[in-house]
Amino acid sequence: MSSPSTQLSTSRRMGIYEPSHQIFMWGEPFKSSTSPNIGASTIVEADEKLDNMYEDSSHGTLVQSQKFEHKANRFGDKVLRRLAQNREAARKSRLRKKAYVQQLESSRLKLSQIEQELELSRQQLQGVYIGGNSGDSCQLGLPGTVNSGIATFELEYGHWVEEQNRYICDLRKALQAHITDIELHILVESSMSHYDDLFRMKSNAAKSDVFYLMSGMWKTAAERFFMWIGGFRPSEVLKVLTPQLGLLTEQQLMSVYNLQQSSQQAEDALSQGMDKLQQTLAETLAAGPIDATSVSNYVEQMATTMGKLEALISFVNQADHVRQQTLQQMYRILTTRQAARGLLALGDYFQRLQTLSSLWAARPNAMKQASL
């Protein structure tokens, strides 16, 4: 086999030459396909298109992501608000349920205690309040009789006073502790309901013996001094409470003033009616012969007087209605904390009257000890 140099020399000798332009043409396709200028621009253009596609895709993904994140945040905020509202509603519901259960339990215990005391009182009263001839006999209601309605009222009222003292302590502690308005509202509502219980008890007692109720024997001596038709004067109580309520708005001051005026007008109307009833009763009793020689006339006269006395029960109930409406209207005018301060001031006022009565009752003994 010959070497390449030998073949080349042989070809030259034989006159066989490859044109240089053919060699050049062979390189053209390769050069054209691998030319640095043409190939680089093509690659750059492709890269730019690809980058633009990636950029557009990334930008769209980012916008969609931001939109999704914004919606998610809005949804999360809404969920958080709803959860907070649900927690607050649940807390209020638990407070109302707790207060209601406590009230039911307190009422149940009170009723059970009253029933036991009533049964004990019936056993003790049996044979003690007999007849009207004994000078030392203790009397409830009419002389020589046992008035079960009045006995029940005295027991109920004693428990009412104890419960009232507890409400006063709770109101004072609540105002000092600055509890929430919701908790304070529940306490104020319970205290207002407690006064409603008093008016209900008094209505039943008036049916049993209206004279006993109006005499105020169920109250202390100092309280009796300020009594008006079986209770306190609403207009006078408003004068006591208003300075204790703190700062009132102009509208509140006007409303309190109007309430005081309307209460005063209702009191004046009832007082005039009571004076007229008293005058009518005196005239009825004085009509006819005083010696009552005619039994039939006497019985008729007493029956007429008894009929007129029925109006006395109505006057007592109307007076309590004015008292109750005054408290309720005052509650509507005031804020929750102002109402709490008002109820506290009202309770303190009655407690001071009771303390004054105790001091007055102890006065003779104190004077006697001082003289010794």
Side-chain angles (χ1 to χ4, degrees):
M1 179 178 291
S2 59
S3 64
S5 58
T6 304
Q7 291 179 358
L8 177 60
S9 59
T10 305
S11 299
R12 287 178 179 175
R13 282 196 306 267
M14 292 176 68
I16 302 173
Y17 297 94
E18 271 189 15
S20 61
H21 69 90
Q22 289 183 355
I23 298 174
F24 176 79
M25 288 178 62
W26 288 352
E28 285 298 323
F30 178 77
K31 289 182 180 179
S32 64
S33 61
T34 61
S35 173
N37 295 331
I38 298 175
S41 62
T42 305
I43 293 173
V44 168
E45 289 179 1
D47 288 344
E48 288 179 352
K49 290 182 180 180
L50 192 59
D51 289 341
N52 291 337
M53 290 175 61
Y54 283 142
E55 183 177 356
D56 292 342
S57 176
S58 301
H59 179 68
T61 305
L62 178 62
V63 171
Q64 291 179 356
S65 176
Q66 290 176 347
K67 289 183 179 180
F68 178 78
E69 184 178 356
H70 180 65
K71 290 182 179 179
N73 289 337
R74 289 179 56 190
F75 179 76
D77 292 342
K78 188 179 296 184
V79 170
L80 290 176
R81 286 197 300 270
R82 180 63 59 85
L83 290 175
Q85 292 173 356
N86 290 342
R87 284 195 297 269
E88 182 64 18
R91 190 178 70 86
K92 293 178 181 179
S93 177
R94 287 194 299 271
L95 288 174
R96 287 193 297 268
K97 183 178 180 181
K98 181 179 178 181
Y100 179 68
V101 171
Q102 289 177 348
Q103 187 175 3
L104 285 179
E105 181 65 19
S106 176
S107 300
R108 185 186 66 81
L109 293 175
K110 185 192 301 183
L111 181 59
S112 176
Q113 188 175 4
I114 289 174
E115 290 177 348
Q116 293 176 3
E117 292 180 355
L118 280 176
E119 182 62 29
L120 180 62
S121 298
R122 290 191 188 99
Q123 296 175 4
Q124 293 175 347
L125 289 172
Q126 204 170 33
V128 176
Y129 302 106
I130 301 175
N133 299 327
S134 172
D136 344 333
S137 63
C138 181
Q139 295 146 2
L140 294 173
L142 296 175
T145 63
V146 179
N147 193 323
S148 60
I150 295 302
T152 301
F153 172 75
E154 286 188 334
L155 291 173
E156 287 182 340
Y157 182 70
H159 290 296
W160 187 91
V161 172
E162 293 176 0
E163 195 77 3
Q164 175 69 359
N165 293 335
R166 186 181 66 83
Y167 275 118
I168 294 171
C169 293
D170 290 344
L171 284 170
R172 182 175 288 106
K173 292 178 182 178
L175 289 172
Q176 292 174 350
H178 303 290
I179 64 175
T180 63
D181 287 345
I182 297 174
E183 296 170 321
L184 191 60
H185 176 76
I186 294 174
L187 189 56
V188 170
E189 285 282 349
S190 300
S191 185
M192 289 290 295
S193 177
H194 191 56
Y195 276 102
D196 292 338
D197 292 339
L198 175 62
F199 298 132
R200 175 190 55 79
M201 291 188 296
K202 290 177 65 180
S203 177
N204 293 333
K207 297 175 185 177
S208 299
D209 189 352
V210 68
F211 288 111
Y212 169 83
L213 187 67
M214 290 190 63
S215 69
M217 295 304 296
W218 47 286
K219 282 186 168 289
T220 60
E223 288 178 297
R224 287 198 298 270
F225 180 73
F226 292 98
M227 279 190 68
W228 168 78
I229 314 183
F232 59 85
R233 281 184 176 272
S235 60
E236 293 298 325
V237 167
L238 289 178
K239 293 179 183 178
V240 173
L241 296 186
T242 304
Q244 308 295 328
L245 300 176
L247 293 178
L248 299 177
T249 64
E250 185 176 349
Q251 184 177 359
Q252 286 178 319
L253 287 172
M254 182 60 67
S255 299
V256 171
Y257 174 78
N258 292 334
L259 178 60
Q260 187 172 345
Q261 292 299 311
S262 60
S263 298
Q264 183 67 59
Q265 292 174 2
E267 292 169 18
D268 293 342
L270 285 174
S271 297
Q272 292 175 7
M274 284 289 295
D275 293 341
K276 183 65 176 176
L277 177 62
Q278 188 177 22
Q279 182 181 354
T280 302
L281 289 172
E283 292 173 354
T284 303
L285 290 172
I290 299 298
D291 56 1
T293 53
S294 174
V295 177
S296 60
N297 289 339
Y298 184 79
V299 172
E300 183 179 353
Q301 186 182 36
M302 290 299 103
T304 303
T305 306
M306 286 290 294
K308 294 182 182 297
L309 279 176
E310 293 293 331
L312 193 58
I313 300 176
S314 176
F315 275 108
V316 172
N317 290 334
Q318 289 181 54
D320 272 348
H321 180 71
V322 175
R323 285 183 272 265
Q324 188 176 24
Q325 287 298 310
T326 300
L327 289 177
Q328 291 178 354
Q329 288 295 330
M330 197 69 176
Y331 180 37
R332 296 187 185 100
I333 293 171
L334 303 176
T335 63
T336 300
R337 295 197 175 272
Q338 289 171 340
R341 286 195 291 267
L343 289 170
L344 178 59
L346 182 61
D348 283 340
Y349 175 70
F350 290 131
Q351 278 189 341
R352 290 173 186 177
L353 288 176
Q354 295 165 7
T355 302
L356 180 61
S357 298
S358 300
L359 293 174
W360 182 259
R363 181 183 56 90
N365 294 332
M367 292 178 62
K368 183 177 180 181
Q369 290 177 1
S371 62
L372 294 176

